[in-house]
Amino acid sequence: LPKIGGWINPNIEAIVDLEPDLLVTVPTGSTRSAVDTLMRLGVPVLLVAVYTVDDVFACIRTLGAATHADERAERAGRDHRR
């Protein structure tokens, strides 16, 4: 896989060059500037915050909606409650 920098110092040029369909990241102060720049450059960004187990499954549903995999995401969310 191509190197695109680290968690704190992502290589914006490398990310833009990859022309991602979606960049998924967590909202943190250390990456906010890079995320803002990527969004300004037209990179689709989805911020997800996960702090609890319930957040994990909410995140799965959010990712499912963003990637047109709603049914699979809903199924995954239901399966964890069994």
Side-chain angles (χ1 to χ4, degrees), residues 2-13:
K3 298 292 181 188
I4 57 168
W7 181 258
I8 295 174
N9 61 341
N11 183 325
I12 292 172
E13 293 82 14

Side-chain angles (χ1 to χ4, degrees), residues 57-58 60-62 64-65 69-81:
F57 293 99
I60 290 170
R61 288 190 299 277
T62 300
D70 302 61
E71 289 180 31
R72 290 180 66 189
E74 283 299 323
R75 196 167 45 249
R78 277 193 312 270
D79 290 349
H80 98 279
R81 293 185 182 115

Side-chain angles (χ1 to χ4, degrees), residues 5-81:
W7 181 258
I8 295 174
N9 61 341
N11 183 325
I12 292 172
E13 293 82 14
I15 294 169
V16 171
D17 286 346
L18 290 171
E19 299 178 5
D21 294 323
L22 182 64
L23 173 70
V24 180
T25 187
V26 295
T28 66
S30 61
T31 60
R32 188 66 199 175
S33 176
V35 169
D36 288 344
T37 300
L38 288 162
M39 290 171 68
R40 260 194 331 277
L41 293 172
V43 174
V45 175
L46 176 62
L47 296 171
V48 294
V50 179
Y51 303 103
T52 68
V53 172
D54 286 338
D55 291 345
V56 170
F57 293 99
C59 179
I60 290 170
R61 288 190 299 277
T62 300
L63 288 168
T67 60
H68 310 291
D70 302 61
E71 289 180 31
R72 290 180 66 189
E74 283 299 323
R75 196 167 45 249
R78 277 193 312 270
D79 290 349
H80 98 279
R81 293 185 182 115

